[in-house]
Amino acid sequence: MSEIGEGIGEEPGKEFAELAARAEKLDAADELAAKRAEFVLDEVVYLDGNSLGALPAKVPGRVEDVVLRQWGRLRIRSWEESGWWTAPERIGDRIAPLVGAAPGQVVVGDSTSVNVFKALVAAVRMAGEGRDEILVDATTFPTDGYIAESAARMTGRTLRPVTPAEVPAALNDRTAAVLLNHVDYRTGRLHDLPSLTAAVHTAGAYAVWDLCHSAGALPVGLDEHGVDLAVGCTYKYLNGGPGSPAYLYVRRDLQDRFDSPLPGWNSHADPFGMRGDFTPADGALRGRVGTPDILSMLALEAALEVWEGVSVEAVRAKSLALTDFFLECVAAHVPEGRVESVTPVAHGERGSQVALRCEGAGDVMKALVERGVVGDFRHPDVLRFGFTPLYVGFADVERAARVLARVLAEVP
Ligand SMILES: Cc1ncc(COP(=O)(O)O)c(C=O)c1O
């Protein structure tokens, strides 16, 4: 059998029956299991929510209303009557509890890349002239590195790439800002946000965190840990849809000093005054730039409703249980030596994905997708599996490992 539903309903071999029975029990006891029904899903085991989250069932109806009624009938009136104008702050406040932020500090808009630029340049400006170095995570998702290089060039600073582990030793009184990823996109390694942020502060510098791979999967604690600035996307664990707008967090006590490198009319204190000189608005909405992308933004707002009544701690507990179980099933099903996990075993160092190094990973992932187990391939040799606790179950995990073993037996 080689099809989308491969592995469903079949008896796993005797040696694996115990894992399948355990998966069933874990699913029965899962307090988040009912959330799956709030998504549009099929028999595919979808382990790519760390790239593009699944579609929440409420989104299509909301988008239809936004297009046909709000835009189609109310037209310009919707900027006020449908709450379009205040959507970036309103939706920011909806994301805030998911990243441990009190209201008034998160604004939604633009892409993560653009928000990295705003946050990093603003951090360097806060640090002042005497500090001439920016540290960037050497293992970062490429866009952060490209933007950091350009930001350094524009602000006349030197950019020094270092691994997160090297950051404490690299900090000194020249450091202006440090740009870090909370979870490594390739390996799934969770970096120690509290202690790295504290080290950055001890050196008198500013910490900018990229939360793309952590928000919606684990507690972040931005306020609790005194993070200065943070950015993240909404199309992964927040399920906002392809290209949904990103967000920017500016800690409350830094907002007056947040000097955006992209001041637009939407971040002006009097946007409709149409003045020639720029006076920044108060609060996080200083992070706004131009006209918000309303269709995507309101799709995201509908998507965020699935978080109603969900605690991030419960999501984290399930995420760790899912990744533990996947590693166990892979160890049981896959012949030794065929794959090697590059994701840390320690819970304190693991995000919500498992990355397996594997020869021929590109072809292996293609075969997995054809058989209804969707993860992704990251150059040069990594199979990446993301576990979104709101819609992935333990039986999915067991099936994914079983199909992976079968594919590896067939792909030389
Ligand atoms: C860690 C990280 N940062 C930034 C980005 C890119 O963000 P965007 O394309 O929304 O600018 C991604 C995309 O996957 C990412 O994983």
Side-chain angles (χ1 to χ4, degrees):
M1 179 157 128
S2 175
E3 54 173 273
I4 288 294
E6 178 153 340
I8 299 179
E10 67 186 25
E11 286 292 316
K14 222 171 53 210
E15 67 276 35
F16 305 125
E18 190 273 330
L19 288 173
R22 196 132 53 84
E24 205 176 309
K25 269 200 196 132
L26 287 164
D27 279 330
D30 173 13
E31 61 173 290
L32 295 174
K35 281 281 154 191
R36 184 182 164 95
E38 296 182 32
F39 290 86
V40 176
L41 287 162
D42 48 27
E43 69 276 21
V44 164
V45 176
Y46 191 64
L47 302 181
D48 214 3
N50 55 338
S51 199
L52 176 67
L55 169 66
K58 278 192 177 172
V59 171
R62 183 70 53 82
V63 170
E64 185 179 11
D65 179 63
V66 171
V67 172
L68 293 182
R69 185 182 62 84
Q70 297 184 13
W71 176 17
R73 295 216 296 276
L74 296 178
R75 290 177 287 266
I76 198 79
R77 288 165 54 188
S78 272
W79 282 106
E80 273 201 31
E81 290 176 27
S82 303
W84 288 358
W85 183 258
T86 51
E89 302 89 83
R90 181 178 71 244
I91 303 169
D93 280 346
R94 187 116 209 180
I95 291 171
L98 301 176
V99 291
Q105 301 173 100
V106 179
V107 70
V108 173
D110 310 310
S111 63
T112 310
S113 305
V114 172
N115 283 303
V116 166
F117 177 74
K118 293 180 214 168
L120 194 56
V121 173
V124 169
R125 288 177 175 178
M126 282 179 202
E129 285 307 317
R131 290 178 176 262
D132 64 357
E133 199 166 77
I134 299 172
L135 301 183
V136 65
D137 181 349
T139 59
T140 189
F141 186 84
T143 206
D144 297 41
Y146 306 153
I147 285 170
E149 195 279 328
S150 174
R153 215 154 17 100
M154 285 178 53
T155 57
R157 287 353 187 241
T158 304
L159 184 70
R160 183 141 71 110
V162 289
T163 66
E166 291 165 345
V167 164
L171 290 161
N172 56 47
D173 60 6
R174 289 178 52 190
T175 315
V178 184
L179 173 61
L180 288 160
N181 288 267
H182 197 191
V183 172
D184 184 293
Y185 78 102
R186 191 184 274 118
T187 63
R189 177 178 289 276
L190 170 65
H191 296 300
D192 188 344
L193 178 145
S195 81
L196 286 168
T197 303
V200 171
H201 288 168
T202 300
Y206 291 85
V208 181
W209 284 92
D210 180 333
L211 309 177
C212 281
H213 286 272
S214 59
L218 51 96
V220 178
L222 290 178
D223 288 351
E224 183 187 349
H225 304 302
V227 166
D228 302 297
L229 299 150
V231 302
C233 70
T234 61
Y235 45 73
K236 300 182 193 289
Y237 297 104
L238 300 180
N239 312 300
S244 57
Y247 57 89
L248 168 71
Y249 164 88
V250 184
R251 202 179 71 212
R252 191 179 308 285
D253 61 300
L254 296 178
Q255 289 172 354
D256 285 351
R257 295 170 52 212
F258 182 84
D259 181 5
S260 174
L262 293 173
W265 74 290
N266 275 226
S267 51
H268 197 286
D270 181 15
F272 293 95
M274 303 294 162
R275 298 175 199 285
D277 56 331
F278 183 74
T279 308
D282 288 335
L285 60 85
R286 274 188 189 198
R288 287 178 62 161
V289 184
T291 307
D293 181 350
I294 292 298
L295 299 186
S296 286
M297 207 170 273
L298 299 191
L300 166 64
E301 187 169 36
L304 290 169
E305 289 178 15
V306 300
W307 290 92
E308 206 64 54
V310 174
S311 89
V312 181
E313 285 69 26
V315 165
R316 174 60 168 164
K318 183 175 172 189
S319 156
L320 287 172
L322 288 167
T323 49
D324 273 344
F325 191 55
F326 184 65
L327 288 167
E328 188 183 343
C329 290
V330 167
H333 284 293
V334 174
E336 219 176 313
R338 285 307 306 271
V339 297
E340 177 207 355
S341 174
V342 294
T343 302
V345 172
H347 282 182
E349 295 175 11
R350 193 194 304 162
S352 201
Q353 75 179 49
V354 171
L356 302 176
R357 188 167 285 146
C358 167
E359 208 170 299
D363 290 339
V364 170
M365 185 50 72
K366 248 189 231 146
L368 277 173
V369 171
E370 277 166 18
R371 292 163 183 226
V373 174
V374 176
D376 59 27
F377 161 64
R378 283 295 173 267
H379 195 75
D381 59 358
V382 168
L383 299 170
R384 215 173 56 143
F385 300 96
F387 296 85
T388 304
L390 295 184
Y391 53 75
V392 173
F394 293 88
D396 295 327
V397 166
E398 193 276 334
R399 186 180 140 209
R402 198 152 26 97
V403 175
L404 172 64
R406 202 170 299 168
V407 164
L408 287 172
E410 290 166 17
V411 176

